[in-house]
Amino acid sequence: MSKSKMSISLNNQENMIMLTKKYLKRKIMCPETKFRHHIQERLHVLELVKRTVDMGESNSVLLIGPRGSGKTTLINSVLKELACSKNFQDNAVIVNLHGLVHTDDRLALKDATRQMQLENATNDKIFSTFAENLSFLLECLKTGDKKRSKPVIFILDEFDLFCAHHNQTLLYNLFDVAQSAQAPICVIGITCRLDVVELLEKRVKSRFSHRQIFLYPGDTSGSEVVTSAFDDRLELFEHLLSLPDDENVNEIEQMNKECNIDAKFRAIWNEQIRKLADNPTITTLLKQMHKTDRTERKFRNFLAVAISSLCTNHQKLEVDDFIQASKMFTQNDKVLMLEGLSTLEMCLIIAMKHETEIYDGEPLNFEKVYNRYLKFTNKNSSIESVQKPVIMKAFEHIKNLELIIPVTTNQRIEKEYQSYNFTLTPQQVMEAVKNYQGLPTDIAQWADSSIF
C-alpha cells in the first residue's frame, strides 16, 4: 500500500473514532431519547399533556419519586415525543421553573414572561395583583381567532420549594387557572417529597387536582421482558456503548444526521463492546457499582468518563478505561467514615463484608453478622468478648450512618432479623482496614482472610 493511501486510511480511522465518541456521548447523556421503565406513568403524563394541547383541557399533576428515579427524564421524553407533532410545535408554550432558581414569585413570573416571549407586552403595564399579571399573560397568548389561548405547560422542578413562597401565590393562581379552565394550562410539579401535598395551604390544596404519580427506582413495570436489576444494567451497558446496526434503520438515520459512521467500522466496534460486556472483570466492576448506587444517572456519567479516553492514540475501549473511570465514582467519603469507627464497629463491618461475599450479595441481618463475629472472637483469645446489647448498639450506629440500608420497613419483623443491604464494596472495606490507625493485627488479618 502506498504512503498516500495508508495516510488516508489512518485519517479515516481517526475520523471514525472521533465521530463515534461524539455520537456515544450524546446517546449516553441524553437519556430521554429512549426512555426506559415507568411505562404506565409515562403514558399517564403523555395523555395529560396531549389533552391540554389538543383539546384545551386544563390539568395539574405531581410527579413524586426519590432523586435519580427518572422524573425529569420522563418529562423530557414526553415533550420530545410531542415536539414531533405540528400542532404542538405551532401552539404549545413550555415554561420551566425551578425552585432553586426562582426563589420568590416575582422572579418566577418574570422568567415565565420571558419564556412566553411577552416582555414587550408587559413593559408599560402596571398590575395591582399577581393574578392580574398572570391573567394578562395568558390573555396575550390568544390565537388568531381570539377564541382560544395557546396551551401552556408549566413545569415546576423542586416543587416543594415553591410551597415556601409567601402565601403560595404562584401555586394558588396556577392551580386556580387550571381548575376554573380560564385558559388551557397543564401544571406539572416534580418533587422528591412524599409529603408535599401536606405542605400546600388549604386554599391551594382545594384547587389542586390531587393527581399524584409516584416513581420508584428500578421499576420495570410495563417492560416486555422482566429481567433482574443487574441483567438490565448489563444490557444497558452494551446498548449505550454500541453503534446502531443495520436492523435499526431509524437509529442509523438519526446517527447519520449527527455523524456518518460506515457499516464496517460499526460492526467491528460493536463486536468489541460485546466482548467487553462478557468480560468477567467488567461484570464484577459493574456489579460492585450497582450494589453501592443503582441510579441510572450516575451509571451514565461513569460511561461518559470512560469514553472520554478515546482519542487518535487510543482508538478502542479497554477494560482499564472502565477501571480508571470507576475510581472517580468510588465513595471515598465512606472509606473515611469507616476509619472513624470503633474497633467493635469495624469488626462488624468486616463480618458484613464476609457475609455478603459468601452469599453473593444477599441481604444480611443482625443475627447473621453477630454469629459471624462470634466465630471470629471464639477463635482469637486476644480479642475481648463483648456483650450482645453492646454489639446491637454498634450495629444500630452503622445503620444510622447508612452503611447498611433496610430492604423493607416492615415493623412486624424483630429488629434482630430485619434485612439490610450492605452498601460498601470489599475494596472499600480493605482500604479502610489498611488506613485504620491502631487496628489489631488479628482483625486486619481476618479482613484479608479467605477463610471466613
Side-chain angles (χ1 to χ4, degrees):
M1 184 184 290
S2 67
K3 286 186 178 181
S4 60
K5 285 185 178 178
M6 186 179 294
S7 176
I8 292 170
S9 178
L10 286 173
N11 288 338
N12 184 53
Q13 181 78 3
E14 290 171 1
N15 186 47
M16 287 295 111
I17 290 297
M18 292 300 101
L19 290 175
T20 298
K21 182 177 178 180
K22 176 185 175 184
Y23 172 77
L24 292 180
K25 240 178 192 177
R26 188 182 182 286
K27 184 179 180 181
I28 290 167
M29 301 312 291
C30 298
E32 66 272 10
T33 55
K34 187 176 181 180
F35 188 74
R36 306 161 60 256
H37 307 323
H38 310 301
I39 307 300
Q40 297 303 320
E41 293 83 353
R42 183 183 180 279
L43 284 173
H44 195 166
V45 175
L46 180 65
E47 282 302 311
L48 288 176
V49 179
K50 279 180 75 174
R51 289 206 297 267
T52 300
V53 175
D54 296 338
M55 295 178 277
E57 178 184 305
S58 291
N59 291 298
S60 58
V61 62
L62 287 177
L63 202 57
I64 303 171
R67 299 195 187 280
S69 58
K71 302 182 295 296
T72 304
T73 303
L74 184 150
I75 297 297
N76 289 341
S77 74
V78 166
L79 296 178
K80 188 178 181 69
E81 179 178 334
L82 291 173
C84 299
S85 159
K86 192 173 188 310
N87 183 39
F88 188 88
Q89 290 175 8
D90 295 343
N91 296 312
V93 178
I94 300 170
V95 176
N96 284 286
L97 301 176
H98 200 292
L100 292 172
V101 177
H102 305 102
T103 51
D104 60 48
D105 290 344
R106 181 184 58 82
L107 285 173
L109 191 64
K110 185 177 179 182
D111 201 20
T113 305
R114 179 189 62 80
Q115 293 182 51
M116 293 178 185
Q117 300 181 352
L118 296 174
E119 299 100 325
N120 294 334
T122 59
N123 272 348
D124 301 322
K125 301 285 182 183
I126 298 175
F127 302 97
S128 59
T129 65
F130 184 99
E132 284 182 13
N133 200 339
L134 181 62
S135 297
F136 176 78
L137 292 178
L138 295 173
E139 187 71 22
C140 289
L141 293 173
K142 291 281 188 184
T143 51
D145 58 8
K146 300 293 181 184
K147 290 180 181 177
R148 183 187 168 204
S149 176
K150 282 190 174 184
V152 187
I153 315 300
F154 285 92
I155 300 170
L156 279 61
D157 211 340
E158 300 292 347
F159 178 87
D160 49 289
L161 297 181
F162 289 97
C163 297
H165 290 192
H166 182 64
N167 291 335
Q168 297 184 354
T169 307
L170 172 70
L171 300 182
Y172 173 81
N173 282 281
L174 288 177
F175 288 152
D176 187 55
V177 170
Q179 187 189 56
S180 58
Q182 299 171 34
I185 74 168
C186 184
V187 183
I188 303 174
I190 303 173
T191 181
C192 57
R193 287 282 299 264
L194 291 173
D195 62 342
V196 67
V197 174
E198 301 308 312
L199 302 178
L200 297 175
E201 292 182 4
K202 190 174 180 180
R203 67 192 185 111
V204 180
K205 196 185 294 187
S206 68
R207 282 158 176 77
F208 172 49
S209 68
H210 289 270
R211 187 182 286 112
Q212 299 174 66
I213 299 175
F214 293 89
L215 300 188
Y216 301 98
D219 179 19
T220 56
S221 60
S223 298
E224 291 181 9
V225 180
V226 179
T227 57
S228 73
F230 178 70
D231 287 342
D232 187 64
R233 178 57 55 88
L234 198 57
E235 185 182 317
L236 182 61
F237 171 85
E238 189 172 342
H239 166 71
L240 290 177
L241 294 178
S242 297
L243 298 171
D245 54 31
D246 292 333
E247 293 179 7
N248 302 319
V249 178
N250 292 336
E251 286 187 36
I252 290 177
E253 287 177 358
Q254 180 62 36
M255 181 190 70
N256 287 339
K257 287 180 184 176
E258 301 167 24
C259 46
N260 194 4
I261 303 173
D262 67 56
K264 186 177 179 182
F265 181 87
R266 293 201 311 268
I268 294 170
W269 177 269
N270 289 344
E271 182 58 32
Q272 291 172 351
I273 298 302
R274 274 190 288 273
K275 287 179 180 177
L276 282 172
D278 292 335
N279 186 289
T281 304
I282 293 290
T283 306
T284 303
L285 176 68
L286 295 180
K287 272 185 180 177
Q288 289 169 353
M289 292 185 70
H290 192 250
K291 280 180 187 176
T292 56
D293 193 327
R294 297 194 173 195
T295 59
E296 193 172 302
R297 179 188 300 164
K298 190 169 183 178
F299 178 65
R300 286 173 178 269
N301 289 341
F302 156 69
L303 294 183
V305 171
I307 66 167
S308 66
S309 63
L310 292 172
C311 61
T312 53
N313 297 322
H314 185 74
Q315 298 191 2
K316 70 174 186 175
L317 290 172
E318 306 282 358
V319 172
D320 191 57
D321 295 327
F322 295 96
I323 293 173
Q324 294 304 317
S326 70
K327 289 179 181 178
M328 290 184 63
F329 296 89
T330 52
Q331 296 169 305
N332 293 325
D333 55 334
K334 288 196 173 182
V335 174
L336 292 172
M337 199 183 293
L338 290 180
E339 294 169 26
L341 296 180
S342 67
T343 304
L344 171 60
E345 289 164 346
M346 198 65 199
C347 284
L348 295 185
I349 290 290
I350 293 168
M352 292 173 188
K353 166 186 173 287
H354 288 324
E355 189 71 23
T356 52
E357 285 180 326
I358 292 170
Y359 295 104
D360 196 25
E362 287 293 312
L364 50 82
N365 59 39
F366 172 76
E367 280 299 319
K368 289 179 180 179
V369 174
Y370 175 65
N371 289 332
R372 190 153 300 283
Y373 170 73
L374 283 185
K375 284 182 183 178
F376 167 67
T377 55
N378 290 339
K379 289 181 181 178
N380 293 270
S381 55
S382 60
I383 305 298
E384 203 172 314
S385 61
V386 181
Q387 292 183 342
K388 191 172 182 178
V390 178
I391 297 174
M392 171 58 84
K393 193 171 182 181
F395 185 87
E396 289 285 339
H397 183 227
I398 291 171
K399 182 186 78 172
N400 292 337
L401 292 174
E402 296 186 349
L403 298 175
I404 53 175
I405 297 175
V407 174
T408 62
T409 55
N410 190 344
Q411 296 181 351
R412 295 180 181 178
I413 302 175
E414 293 181 23
K415 62 181 181 179
E416 290 88 347
Y417 298 99
Q418 175 72 53
S419 294
Y420 298 89
N421 281 324
F422 190 47
T423 66
L424 299 166
T425 65
Q427 288 78 5
Q428 287 174 319
V429 175
M430 291 311 301
E431 187 179 343
V433 167
K434 183 181 176 182
N435 298 334
Y436 195 105
Q437 295 293 322
L439 189 69
T441 306
D442 287 346
I443 296 175
Q445 289 175 344
W446 178 42
D448 199 30
S449 173
S450 58
I451 303 172
F452 310 118

